[in-house]
Amino acid sequence: MRTAIAAILSLTLVMSLVNATVALASDSLVVFLGNHSLVGALPWVALPTLLMTFAVYGLMLLTPMIPKRWFIPLTLCGPVTALAALPLMIYFHTQAPWIAFGISVVQMVVCLVVLRKMRGSWSIRWPLFNVDQLGDRGFRWGHTAGFATVNLLVLLPATVAYLVVCGGLALNHYTGGFVSLRPEGMTMQARKYIRDDGKTVELVPMSHIGDSDFYQSLTASFSPTAVILMEGVSDKDKLFANKVGYKKTAQDLGLSEQQEFFKPKGELVAADVDISQFSKASLEYLKKTMTIHAKGVTPETLPLLMQPAPEDLPKRLIDDLLTLRNRHLLEVMEERLKTSDHIIIPWGAAHMPGISEGVLKAGFRVQDTEDFVAIRFSGRKTAGGG
């Protein structure tokens, strides 16, 4: 058993070094030469390495013979650096290649330091980790209980709290303050804009799933005389065989689907684009995503997950899913403002910053705001106002 554990630890170190080397080489090519040729190789190296490090971390729970001073830094380096980079990715996402490059440098340094400390020299020969470097003690209840306690009562709650904070920062940043996380729940801020000619536009950020009272409160707040510009990409040419639905997800979370409870009164106007207007790259990516959503991760769909994406895919997706649709919506809004005094736009929260910018450019100013709790953490079922 000791020989097997030593072999596993040697293999883990090798895989970590290979993963760090490939990542550093790939990120270096991207940031210095704009070359993405190695990006497609990263998942094939990173996934097995991640699984191996998780297995070693599990072994450290079971036996104290594995030297933690070396293998805790090695196994936690990837998750810790990824978590540490989250705030940078939120506020400096345009510098994502450089952030990824920094992560790769840190991971490579950690691997090399662990290797040097473990072997006492820079010589590399198999096995990298010798059996005599293992501790003498096997399984110990005290060790397992202590290790599990630290992970369950310290590391896990700290990680969850950190992710919640980062999630709140991301929501607020990417939605321009239209969405925020508060102790009572996830809050949507509706904003009313007014223009000197008396015309008004209301922007109402929406969520595909939420508390039923959230949708009912919004429905009750809408004026029956308003023109409501509705979101919803059409597919007139039937390009997609699979459709994305949120009913099951909503049920699993004890929430409701938007289309079930959001029934606004007033003049409903389709103000979205047809999916045929999207770029080819976006269409292919969305088809793949919908296939995985419909069938789950299976031997059939796993290769789809491993396929490298075009290097300009993020920009194309943003252009199609946000910029193109926002521009079309604002054109519809301008047209309807010629005959309507009150327009309501209940669109997804991610659209709100761009739409708000267009509304402000059209001569409007914010007159009032109102907060609605879309997903209430406390379990109470009355939507909040503010």
Side-chain angles (χ1 to χ4, degrees):
M1 184 181 68
R2 291 172 61 85
T3 302
I5 291 176
I8 290 173
L9 297 180
S10 292
L11 181 59
T12 300
L13 184 53
V14 169
M15 293 179 66
S16 298
L17 283 168
V18 171
N19 179 63
T21 301
V22 173
L24 183 58
S26 175
D27 293 332
S28 297
L29 287 174
V30 171
V31 298
F32 294 117
L33 300 177
N35 188 321
H36 293 74
S37 59
L38 284 181
V39 172
L42 285 176
W44 298 97
V45 179
L47 183 57
T49 303
L50 184 64
L51 295 176
M52 182 62 77
T53 55
F54 280 166
V56 170
Y57 200 78
L59 283 176
M60 285 190 282
L61 169 68
L62 297 177
T63 174
M65 71 172 60
I66 299 176
K68 295 180 180 59
R69 66 186 182 278
W70 296 330
F71 285 96
I72 283 185
L74 192 67
T75 55
L76 294 185
C77 179
V80 169
T81 52
L83 289 172
L86 283 179
L88 296 176
M89 287 293 191
I90 293 171
Y91 292 104
F92 307 101
H93 61 276
T94 57
Q95 301 299 319
W98 282 101
I99 296 172
F101 174 75
I103 292 174
S104 299
V105 170
V106 172
Q107 292 178 350
M108 175 60 78
V109 169
V110 169
C111 287
L112 293 176
V113 169
V114 169
L115 178 64
R116 177 66 175 81
K117 294 291 185 181
M118 183 186 303
R119 297 193 61 81
S121 68
W122 291 111
S123 64
I124 298 179
R125 61 180 182 276
W126 187 263
L128 295 181
F129 184 86
N130 298 314
V131 175
D132 57 11
Q133 292 177 291
L134 291 171
D136 296 329
R137 296 180 298 168
F139 176 79
R140 293 290 187 276
W141 278 112
H143 165 270
T144 299
F147 196 78
T149 299
V150 170
N151 280 272
L152 293 177
L153 300 184
V154 179
L155 292 182
L156 182 60
T159 301
V160 171
Y162 179 78
L163 290 174
V164 169
V165 171
C166 288
L169 293 175
L171 278 175
N172 188 271
H173 179 69
Y174 288 117
T175 64
F178 278 92
V179 183
S180 59
L181 288 181
R182 300 179 181 175
E184 64 269 25
M186 187 173 75
T187 301
M188 304 289 193
Q189 184 182 86
R191 298 179 187 175
K192 183 177 181 180
Y193 298 73
I194 191 169
R195 200 163 62 180
D196 291 340
D197 58 5
K199 295 183 182 291
T200 60
V201 174
E202 292 184 48
L203 299 189
V204 183
M206 300 297 295
S207 171
H208 289 295
I209 60 175
D211 290 333
S212 59
D213 286 345
F214 165 61
Y215 302 117
Q216 293 168 348
S217 296
L218 285 180
T219 299
S221 72
F222 286 7
S223 170
T225 61
V227 173
I228 304 173
L229 305 185
M230 299 296 290
E231 178 184 12
V233 177
S234 59
D235 185 10
K236 297 177 182 178
D237 297 329
K238 308 296 182 184
L239 298 177
F240 285 9
N242 298 298
K243 304 296 181 183
V244 174
Y246 301 92
K247 186 173 183 179
K248 185 179 184 304
T249 302
Q251 290 175 343
D252 292 342
L253 296 175
L255 299 172
S256 302
E257 191 178 17
Q258 175 182 330
Q259 65 182 28
E260 183 180 0
F261 289 95
F262 183 59
K263 308 291 183 181
K265 297 178 181 179
E267 183 183 354
L268 305 184
V269 177
D272 216 330
V273 302
D274 188 79
I275 203 164
S276 60
Q277 296 175 247
F278 286 7
S279 66
K280 182 179 179 180
S282 294
L283 287 174
E284 291 300 320
Y285 176 80
L286 292 173
K287 286 180 181 179
K288 179 173 68 174
T289 301
M290 290 181 179
T291 299
I292 295 171
H293 178 83
K295 299 181 180 181
V297 179
T298 66
E300 176 187 355
T301 60
L302 184 58
L304 297 177
L305 285 173
M306 307 300 287
Q307 288 177 358
E311 59 185 74
D312 63 342
L313 179 62
K315 181 181 183 302
R316 289 185 178 275
L317 284 174
I318 291 175
D319 288 344
D320 290 334
L321 295 177
L322 292 178
T323 308
L324 170 68
R325 297 169 64 195
N326 288 354
R327 182 170 60 247
H328 182 267
L329 167 67
L330 291 170
E331 291 172 355
V332 175
M333 181 193 76
E334 289 286 359
E335 187 64 29
R336 299 299 301 199
L337 281 171
K338 296 177 181 178
T339 56
S340 305
D341 293 329
H342 186 191
I343 289 179
I344 301 176
I345 304 177
W347 275 44
H351 292 273
M352 288 295 120
I355 298 173
S356 177
E357 182 181 351
V359 171
L360 292 172
K361 287 182 178 179
F364 289 84
R365 64 183 183 276
V366 178
Q367 181 188 45
D368 194 15
T369 64
E370 184 175 5
D371 293 339
F372 295 87
V373 180
I375 300 176
R376 188 172 292 277
F377 301 149
S378 63
R380 292 177 295 171
K381 294 186 176 181
T382 56

